Amino acid sequence: MKRALGVCYYPEHWPEDRWAIDAAQMVETGLTWVRIGEFAWSRLEPSEGDFQLDWLARAIDVLGAAGLQVILGTPTATPPHWVLEKHPDMLAVDAEGRARGFGSRRHYCFSHEGFYQESRRITRILAERFGKNPYVVAWQTDNEYGCHETTVSYSNAARTAFQDWCAQRYQSTDALNRAWGNIFWSMEYDRFDQIGLPNLTVTEPNPAHVLAFRRFSSDQVVRFNRGQTEILRQHTNAPLIHNYMGRVTDFDHYDVGADLDIASWDSYPIGFLSDRLEGTPEHKAHYLRQGDPDMQAFHHDLYRTVGKNRWWVMEQQPGPVNWAPYNPAPLPGMARLWAWEAFAHGAEAVLYFRWRQAPFAQEQMHAGLLRPDAESAPALTEVRQVATELATMPEVGTTKARVALIFDYVSCWAWEAQPQGADFDMFRLAFETYRAARRLGLSLDIIAPHAYLRGYDLVLAPGLLETPETLQNFKGMALIGPRTGSKTAELCIPLPMGPNIKDLNCTVSRVESIPPTTRIALENGGTFLHWFEELDGTADITLRTKDGKPAIMHTDGLHYIAGWPEADTYVEILEGLATTAGIPTQRLPDGLRVRDSETHRFWFNYNPSEITYQGKTLKAADLLIEDLA
Ligand code: GAL
């Protein structure tokens, strides 16, 4: 598969006589992919049944004739106002019971049957017209499911659908009552239609109820997406893609990905650093114009799994965005570095968002490759450089990593339903685990809990609701916990208590969560924060707290960790395990990262200044590619 560059384009935003000029310039820049259409519903069907597809056909022709391959989006993230007038109750409802409004996007509830049918209808119309169009080489379903907190909706439609879902999952209210423990506080039901949604309760709702509702909400996204893929597949053989977001964990991406051919995601490194990552003010200041050195890589590795090894970056930040609290400009070089990092992790394509900055509406302050006046914006030169480099650089195949991190969406919902400590966030725990490994120069695979572990020398399994079956017989080195295997699938305490790993002989007897001002000191000088578990059992003690309690216990390669390690402690622990597993590590300087492909080693300098390491000098925001042969 040839790696390629592309861009997101909105022909409906510009006069038609501009399209050919834009297309020619895209090609001249070295772009080969162009994504269009995903928000154009009001121009494709201005009123019900009034289909205006000819302009889109002409746009596709112009782009295709210029040599570009088109990805066509279904426009269901932006239903026009007439759709809302037809289905006034299609809006998602927030936890306070308020309907969300018209006037931006994603204003639909996944459970609304009428809107579901509208989504299938417009998808069918587009698929019938463009499914065989030779220039339409891939399709995108909707846009960023779950973005703007749109997965979970407390609407009447959701309530009815949830009752049906419960009836299917539990078969009887007795079984449901038992599974959730509804004897507690007399919460028992005797009919499924009595079951409400877990919002607006007087004090906290039953966490099992919340988790069931979150599983249901995720299934609704899967169903909605499948509603489109079924139709698209009847009309096209082109690959089907969705563009996921960064740090959106509200639906199970593995499940959605199962119905698609390629995963893609929208990478906004500087926006994410500012708006959705924990970090000290110093960290955020240091990486202000580069983004966090692990955030992009984490999602590349995650979506590689979601896409079953085929994945893209559908939207790449090109300059300042408009939506974060602060929106600094990237350092010169970053638009190139981010693209190369994606290719190093196996991306087939990287598309920049967007071609030309719109002078109107919500994103008028969001950079494109062109300025609003169609002059070049700074990133354009860097994109051209990547295009030239790609042409001369041999293919880089991805290779299976020796280290795997198990990441699970259900666990994200479980710990949201029952955090037990304000700082226990599943994504954060997984991300900090990933970061610690990367600081040791390791390349990782991120894998689903049901994935085979064969071939991995070190498996990291932090914070999983249930212990994956595959770990029960795993013979390599593993670091399990904290909190892994501490609950049943229904978010109750298992008996016997967790982590329930057959050969480990270790039980969590008590847990405590602690505020950020407190640390648990370890005998080796390290610390735990946020979370600590007391361990019982006959497993060997690998590491103790300063006051003598087990901090890590192990039997053979299986290790259980009783707390959330502070960053440097985590590095030290993983270094020890990797060394025992025979995996070479190195302590990388801050902001330097390395990623191995089958044939090449890629070095990325996320620092705002030059760095020298092992005789290699990398300028600020620069990369180095070494041939491993
Ligand atoms: C993405 C979205 C795009 C655009 C972009 C701005 O989340 O898919 O449509 O809004 O952000 O950064």
Side-chain angles (χ1 to χ4, degrees):
M1 174 60 70
K2 195 95 193 105
R3 294 147 307 161
L5 293 172
V7 75
C8 306
Y9 185 54
Y10 298 90
E12 69 275 23
H13 294 179
W14 310 106
E16 193 162 337
D17 59 11
R18 186 72 215 182
W19 297 349
I21 304 170
D22 285 334
Q25 196 182 355
M26 289 174 199
V27 172
E28 179 270 323
T29 305
L31 307 180
T32 52
W33 287 103
V34 61
R35 184 199 62 180
I36 61 171
E38 82 278 10
F39 299 129
W41 197 340
S42 71
R43 291 298 172 91
L44 296 169
E45 191 185 14
S47 59
E48 186 171 7
D50 173 19
F51 298 110
Q52 307 274 340
L53 307 186
D54 291 347
W55 70 264
L56 184 57
R58 291 196 301 277
I60 292 170
D61 267 356
V62 168
L63 296 164
L68 294 157
Q69 309 186 83
V70 174
I71 303 127
L72 184 57
T74 64
T76 45
T78 50
H81 202 273
W82 67 259
V83 178
L84 176 59
E85 286 173 66
K86 186 174 167 197
H87 304 283
D89 57 350
M90 63 173 266
L91 298 169
V93 173
D94 73 10
E96 273 71 52
R98 297 170 304 204
R100 303 186 78 174
F102 183 86
S104 66
R105 61 180 174 184
R106 300 214 55 74
H107 44 282
Y108 68 84
C109 170
F110 281 100
S111 297
H112 191 273
E113 191 55 30
F115 182 65
Y116 176 72
Q117 294 307 339
E118 298 291 353
S119 136
R120 286 172 57 90
R121 197 180 52 84
I122 190 69
T123 299
R124 185 181 309 282
I125 295 291
L126 289 172
E128 283 170 359
R129 175 74 184 261
F130 299 111
K132 299 277 180 296
N133 186 307
Y135 296 137
V136 177
V137 186
W139 288 74
Q140 176 184 299
T141 55
D142 200 282
N143 191 79
E144 291 181 346
Y145 292 133
C147 193
H148 319 304
E149 306 199 334
T150 50
T151 299
V152 176
S153 163
Y154 299 88
S155 66
N156 289 332
R159 178 184 164 132
T160 317
F162 179 55
Q163 291 166 347
D164 289 348
W165 184 93
C166 287
Q168 291 220 6
R169 179 174 171 96
Y170 300 100
Q171 300 289 311
S172 72
T173 50
D174 273 358
L176 177 143
N177 288 329
R178 258 197 320 277
W180 294 4
N182 283 343
I183 175 87
F184 196 76
W185 290 352
S186 282
M187 296 181 295
E188 289 167 300
Y189 302 105
D190 45 39
R191 295 192 321 274
F192 282 106
D193 66 7
Q194 294 169 331
I195 300 172
L197 300 181
N199 63 328
L200 299 173
T201 50
V202 174
T203 182
E204 61 176 311
N206 185 342
H209 185 177
V210 178
L211 182 59
F213 179 57
R214 300 297 299 272
R215 287 182 193 271
F216 154 82
S217 301
S218 174
D219 286 355
Q220 295 301 88
V221 178
V222 176
R223 170 181 177 269
F224 185 89
N225 183 65
R226 189 174 297 152
Q228 298 196 1
T229 58
E230 280 169 359
I231 293 169
L232 290 168
R233 299 230 185 261
Q234 291 164 13
H235 299 279
T236 178
N237 295 322
L240 309 184
I241 313 180
H242 179 73
N243 59 331
Y244 305 104
M245 234 313 186
R247 201 174 182 168
V248 165
T249 54
D250 290 342
F251 64 92
D252 194 317
H253 293 51
Y254 303 127
D255 288 350
V256 171
D259 289 322
L260 297 166
D261 304 298
I262 300 176
S264 75
W265 80 287
D266 297 345
S267 178
Y268 291 92
I270 295 178
F272 291 155
L273 178 78
S274 158
D275 119 315
R276 63 189 65 183
L277 273 183
E278 295 82 6
T280 59
E282 296 71 37
H283 179 85
K284 295 207 173 192
H286 186 78
Y287 295 108
L288 183 76
R289 299 177 184 283
Q290 308 93 282
D292 182 277
D294 298 301
M295 178 74 168
Q296 290 62 253
F298 180 95
H299 287 85
H300 296 338
D301 290 340
L302 173 63
Y303 291 130
R304 189 170 64 250
T305 294
V306 170
K308 297 155 287 185
N309 266 326
R310 292 199 64 186
W311 71 278
W312 299 8
V313 172
M314 191 65 90
E315 300 179 12
Q316 174 64 68
Q317 176 167 3
V321 301
N322 62 298
W323 43 262
Y326 302 98
N327 296 296
L331 275 189
M334 287 314 295
R336 166 176 172 256
L337 182 150
W338 293 324
W340 268 113
E341 190 175 30
F343 292 127
H345 286 253
E348 294 174 8
V350 174
L351 284 75
Y352 288 84
F353 180 93
R354 49 186 277 159
W355 176 244
R356 177 171 168 188
Q357 183 171 349
F360 43 75
Q362 278 92 329
E363 291 177 355
Q364 55 186 274
M365 301 301 288
H366 191 299
L369 296 183
L370 301 189
R371 304 189 321 201
D373 61 2
E375 294 297 317
S376 303
L380 193 74
T381 320
E382 293 183 33
V383 178
R384 196 171 275 133
Q385 184 184 349
V386 178
T388 315
E389 289 167 341
L390 275 177
T392 54
M393 173 79 188
E395 292 290 295
V396 283
T398 46
T399 175
K400 190 172 172 135
R402 296 182 67 182
V403 185
L405 168 66
I406 304 180
F407 183 75
D408 172 39
Y409 291 92
V410 180
S411 306
C412 297
W413 316 328
W415 309 143
E416 274 173 49
Q418 190 181 67
Q420 180 64 10
D423 298 317
F424 202 103
D425 177 273
M426 184 61 227
F427 177 90
R428 183 176 180 184
L429 177 61
F431 183 64
E432 290 183 8
T433 307
Y434 182 85
R435 189 198 290 293
R438 294 245 305 165
R439 285 176 60 193
L440 288 164
L442 296 170
S443 294
L444 289 89
D445 287 345
I446 297 182
I447 60 173
H450 51 265
Y452 288 119
L453 300 182
R454 203 170 343 126
Y456 291 113
D457 297 313
L458 174 61
V459 172
L460 309 173
L464 301 174
L465 177 74
E466 297 179 278
T467 302
E469 234 357 86
T470 48
L471 267 176
Q472 296 289 2
N473 302 308
F474 184 60
K475 294 285 173 265
M477 198 65 65
L479 186 66
I480 303 161
R483 220 171 174 174
T484 296
S486 59
K487 298 287 159 149
T488 66
E490 297 292 344
L491 203 39
C492 296
I493 296 174
L495 300 173
M497 300 192 319
N500 278 312
I501 299 163
K502 214 166 38 158
D503 298 322
L504 183 60
N505 302 319
C506 154
T507 299
V508 176
S509 57
R510 183 169 86 163
V511 307
E512 62 169 355
S513 57
I514 44 183
T517 42
T518 306
R519 297 281 188 279
I520 307 263
L522 305 177
E523 62 182 354
N524 66 354
T527 50
F528 284 159
L529 65 173
H530 309 314
W531 190 263
F532 181 66
E533 302 172 351
E534 289 184 15
L535 305 183
D536 283 348
T538 56
D540 296 326
I541 297 174
T542 327
L543 178 70
R544 290 179 192 273
T545 63
K546 219 168 170 187
D547 56 7
K549 294 177 180 159
I552 299 180
M553 292 181 86
H554 80 277
T555 302
D556 300 326
L558 296 179
H559 292 69
Y560 187 88
I561 182 162
W564 180 313
E566 172 276 323
D568 290 341
T569 306
Y570 222 157
V571 170
E572 200 165 323
I573 290 169
L574 295 187
E575 185 173 48
L577 292 175
T579 306
T580 316
I583 306 168
T585 60
Q586 52 187 320
R587 295 250 182 152
L588 294 178
D590 283 349
L592 182 68
R593 291 294 184 263
V594 62
R595 165 80 196 176
D596 286 348
S597 76
E598 212 163 40
T599 46
H600 292 80
R601 174 160 297 167
F602 293 79
W603 298 88
F604 298 99
N605 182 15
Y606 264 86
N607 290 298
S609 50
E610 185 174 286
I611 190 169
T612 299
Y613 176 67
Q614 292 182 342
K616 292 176 266 288
T617 298
L618 280 88
K619 290 203 221 43
D622 203 1
L623 60 117
L624 189 90
I625 307 178
E626 290 174 338
D627 202 329
L628 287 176

